[in-house]
Amino acid sequence: MINKTVANVQVACEGIQDSMTFMLGGFGLSGIPENSIAELVRRNVKNVTCISNNAGVDDFGLGLLLQKKQIKKMISSYVGENAEFERQMLSGELEVELIPQGTLAQRCQAAQSGIPAFYTPAGYGTEVAEGKEAREYNGKMHILEEAFKADFGFIKAWKGDAAGNLIFKGTARNFNPNMCGAAKITVAEVEELVPVGTLDPNQIHIPGIFVQRIFQGSTYEKRIEQLTVRKRS
Amino acid sequence: MSLSKEQIAKRIAKEVKDGYYVNLGIGIPTLVANFVQNDIDVEFQSENGVLGMGPFPFEGDEDPDLINAGKQTITALPGASFFDSALSFSMIRGQHVDLTILGAMEVSQNGDIANWKIPGKMVKGMGGAMDLVASAENIIVAMMHTNRAGASKLLKDCSLPLTGVNCVKKVVSNLAVMEIENGSFKLLERAPGVSVEDIKNATEGNLIIEGDIPEMDIS
């Protein structure tokens, strides 16, 4: 067993520098790497590019980095929940590249898989296709999209072990597995770091080979963005 | 009389057939789930990573690790599955999802759709909409026929940035059910009490009217 465990989030984030590109898992506030985001805020790393489906809300998730103006560029599919984001984007302080959600997932997956580029029909005929190669397959037009290149990937999983094996929970899985091994260094934080041998190999979602550093996360807030419930009758 | 959002959803629910995997967009499409017949088997996919989505949880049962594409807390039904975003869009681009229902700001007579951006005003992003419309074989758009100022949203050409081209097959609005055929809106049904003339006046794009146009069944 190759041990990927690091003592804490500070150690896990060693090597982070200004102007780097980060991938961050999560959909909305579900499955975001809360501990790593807090550490990025604490280190006050500047001018970074973030690849993440969303940009958090004003006071949580990537919104915390936006507040401190640490982000130079966001690559996302949907950013509708964040007033500070909108302000920075409209004033030109923040560069924003909006791309289709499936394309975002596949560009992570391609980076993970060593596929430099792929054709997808998503965005053909729209401004997303501008400047991209287009080609017809099976009577339908597709555009060429490239694998992402990133320095660090920040992943949140439910359970993991010292070998770096990961299991995700519910829809907190989302982009997290696709981003594992897609950046030069993958940092995984987990709710439960369990002893090696405890996880059933049949149930592992991401094998440890895709993870360089793993640590036990703490004090997860797991904020709910849109609480919707039924009354018990 | 023009339909309410619930009535639009009710009419669209009749298009959902036994054995369908269905992706519902945010807004009116989400309401469709409430009106699907009880005697058919349908599974709802949410592109953030769940198939077999159930109703909202009971108070106190909400789980931050279980949400839909609108970030609302949901439940998972027996037989449900969770998956990552790449696999989710494999279901969509790979045409494994049978029906996509989504909202629109504008639709053109050749089936172009715009629903993600108003330049200088609203820039929230396309989310999964571009992947959905580029790949789905069967797309129904739920929308209001006109904007608040009364201007048509069913146009010759979309004025807003496009989400996809030549992709919409059917539109259910508060006034009518239309099919897109050979570069025109073909009128199939009208809302109860709404005349063909009313629909003509509210449609900027080319509208084909053949024979008697029946009233929609929104029972």
Side-chain angles (χ1 to χ4, degrees), chain B residues 12-169:
Chain B
I12 292 175
K14 293 184 195 299
E15 307 282 327
V16 179
K17 305 283 192 276
D18 189 36
Y20 269 15
Y21 293 103
V22 182
N23 180 287
L24 300 177
I26 295 162
I28 302 174
T30 306
L31 301 172
V32 171
N34 301 333
F35 301 111
V36 172
Q37 290 165 258
N38 289 324
D39 58 344
I40 62 172
D41 292 321
V42 171
E43 283 193 28
F44 291 106
Q45 195 249 20
S46 196
E47 63 269 24
N48 59 314
V50 53
L51 188 64
M53 184 174 32
F56 297 138
F58 287 117
E59 270 175 302
D61 288 349
E62 64 273 9
D63 177 356
D65 294 329
L66 186 44
I67 61 171
N68 65 15
K71 285 113 185 168
Q72 296 171 308
T73 45
I74 52 156
T75 55
L77 295 172
S81 54
F82 301 121
F83 35 85
D84 65 68
S85 299
L87 194 60
S88 179
F89 283 90
S90 296
M91 294 177 192
I92 291 165
R93 282 190 311 263
Q95 301 186 337
H96 307 287
V97 173
D98 299 290
L99 175 62
T100 293
I101 302 169
L102 76 175
M105 298 170 186
E106 295 177 344
V107 171
S108 79
Q109 62 193 20
N110 66 342
D112 295 352
I113 177 171
N115 72 353
W116 74 282
K117 183 179 185 182
I118 304 174
K121 240 175 146 184
M122 186 217 76
V123 189
K124 289 177 187 275
M126 64 291 279
M130 284 194 182
D131 309 272
L132 282 157
V133 302
S135 302
E137 287 277 275
N138 195 1
I139 301 174
I140 300 178
V141 169
M143 66 189 292
M144 304 309 276
H145 214 102
T146 54
N147 66 20
R148 286 198 191 97
S152 182
K153 294 163 75 169
L154 295 155
L155 307 168
K156 291 190 192 309
D157 292 298
C158 292
S159 64
L160 295 170
L162 295 178
T163 308
V165 292
N166 288 316
C167 53
V168 177
K169 302 286 187 308

Side-chain angles (χ1 to χ4, degrees), chain A residues 27-28 30 54 77-81 86 89 98-103 105-106 109 120-128 140 169-175 177-178 191 222 224-232, chain B residues 47-50 55-73 75 82-86 89 93 95 116-117 121 123-128 130-131 134-135 161-165:
Chain A
F27 180 92
S30 190
N54 312 92
S77 88
Y78 191 85
V79 293
E81 331 286 350
E86 205 165 354
M89 179 170 63
L98 291 169
I99 61 174
Q101 192 178 335
T103 299
Q106 199 61 31
Q109 185 88 343
T120 175
Y124 176 75
T126 75
E127 60 184 57
V128 165
K140 190 168 172 168
K169 181 166 168 268
T171 55
R173 192 184 314 190
N174 55 64
F175 291 84
N178 309 126
E191 286 177 57
K222 290 197 175 190
I224 291 175
E225 220 166 314
Q226 305 282 344
L227 179 65
T228 45
V229 291
R230 281 182 290 166
K231 287 248 181 279
R232 286 174 204 275
Chain B
E47 63 269 24
N48 59 314
V50 53
F56 297 138
F58 287 117
E59 270 175 302
D61 288 349
E62 64 273 9
D63 177 356
D65 294 329
L66 186 44
I67 61 171
N68 65 15
K71 285 113 185 168
Q72 296 171 308
T73 45
T75 55
F82 301 121
F83 35 85
D84 65 68
S85 299
F89 283 90
R93 282 190 311 263
Q95 301 186 337
W116 74 282
K117 183 179 185 182
K121 240 175 146 184
V123 189
K124 289 177 187 275
M126 64 291 279
M130 284 194 182
D131 309 272
S135 302
L162 295 178
T163 308
V165 292

